[in-house]
Amino acid sequence: MNVNQLPETVLVAILEHLSMETIVCNVALVCRKWHQLSQDSVLWRITDLRKHRNMTDDAVLRLSRSVSTRHLFVANCPLLTDVDLSCCCIDDDAVRVMATAAPHLLELHLGHCTDITDQALHYISDLCPAIVRVDCSFCDKITDAGVMYISQRSSSLRHLDLVRCDGIHERCVEQMLQLHPDIHYSTAWLFTDKRRDTPATRRCLRSPVPRF
């Protein structure tokens, strides 16, 4: 009997006994069917990276684009500088874990992580002193208070992506532009209820995005 003839539930149960590296770097590359099986949510309810201290940016990027995790565990990963967790089902506590584990983090992408709140921005500000770029696009639980906190506390921050953060008010962005001219606030399509054409909002939309 060919192994591919087994029910998918049985195959997933077998994969549960394999390591994270084996699933991501081997199983997912066998064929299209096995690639789909490797992304089954049952396998990624918990993502534990505590045994992988040499985890690199590329490895985390590949992992985050392959799976959707609910619980994230990370050990000290000094090599991480750019982490993309966009569209992962993570919360503020997962951001705290990542920020604690990667003290040299420069960029953190959290786009479409709809469970994160202002508390995540507090963790980033307090635990990542070198942070340069934070992407919070489509995180509708982020509010003015979180934006003000990270803007005031992160002296290295140069780019804050707030696209479609519906909890952010225009007056907050205008105030931050006045107080922190070194930070670029990406706010395209931010104000969904009403669009006011002011010098501050035009500056948000048209100012060049810095390259890192």
Side-chain angles (χ1 to χ4, degrees):
M1 180 179 182
N2 189 306
V3 67
N4 286 325
Q5 295 177 323
L6 291 172
E8 291 189 359
T9 53
V10 174
L11 293 174
V12 171
I14 295 173
L15 295 182
E16 286 188 89
H17 296 279
L18 300 180
S19 67
M20 179 188 69
E21 296 99 328
T22 300
I23 295 175
V24 173
C25 300
N26 298 105
V27 174
L29 302 180
V30 173
C31 62
R32 181 175 298 178
K33 178 178 180 178
W34 284 65
H35 177 75
Q36 293 174 343
L37 289 173
S38 72
Q39 299 185 51
D40 193 288
S41 60
V42 172
L43 301 174
W44 300 105
R45 286 174 295 192
I46 297 177
T47 302
D48 192 341
L49 304 180
R50 287 175 290 189
K51 297 180 181 179
H52 311 285
R53 295 179 182 272
N54 293 323
M55 185 69 64
T56 64
D57 295 345
D58 288 341
V60 172
L61 177 61
R62 182 175 179 181
L63 179 64
S64 67
R65 287 181 174 177
S66 299
V67 304
S68 179
T69 185
R70 173 60 64 177
H71 301 289
L72 179 68
F73 298 97
V74 190
N76 182 31
C77 299
L79 299 181
L80 291 180
T81 59
D82 185 347
V83 174
D84 190 339
L85 297 173
S86 301
C87 300
C88 288
C89 299
I90 60 171
D91 55 15
D92 296 335
D93 190 57
V95 173
R96 176 187 60 79
V97 170
M98 177 58 72
T100 302
H104 304 300
L105 201 61
L106 299 177
E107 298 193 22
L108 181 58
H109 301 268
L110 301 170
H112 294 269
C113 295
T114 55
D115 288 334
I116 70 167
T117 70
D118 291 340
Q119 187 61 56
L121 298 184
H122 284 231
Y123 290 140
I124 297 169
S125 303
D126 298 340
L127 299 173
C128 301
I131 195 71
V132 174
R133 184 184 190 118
V134 178
D135 177 5
C136 298
S137 56
F138 292 85
C139 296
D140 55 12
K141 294 181 182 178
I142 297 293
T143 71
D144 296 346
V147 172
M148 294 176 67
Y149 188 91
I150 194 172
S151 298
Q152 294 168 358
R153 298 292 292 269
S154 299
S155 59
S156 59
L157 186 66
R158 291 296 177 268
H159 186 92
L160 185 60
D161 194 335
L162 302 172
V163 171
R164 292 305 298 269
C165 291
D166 295 336
I168 308 297
H169 296 89
E170 183 177 347
R171 63 179 180 275
C172 172
V173 178
E174 292 177 347
Q175 183 180 1
M176 291 301 98
L177 283 169
Q178 298 283 339
L179 297 176
H180 307 284
D182 292 336
I183 301 176
H184 175 86
Y185 298 88
S186 293
T187 57
W189 305 299
L190 173 62
F191 310 111
T192 55
D193 294 331
K194 60 177 182 178
R195 297 174 182 269
R196 289 175 51 196
D197 185 21
T198 67
T201 54
R202 286 198 298 270
R203 180 180 165 192
C204 282
L205 297 175
R206 297 175 185 174
S207 56
V209 179
R211 295 182 178 179
F212 306 111

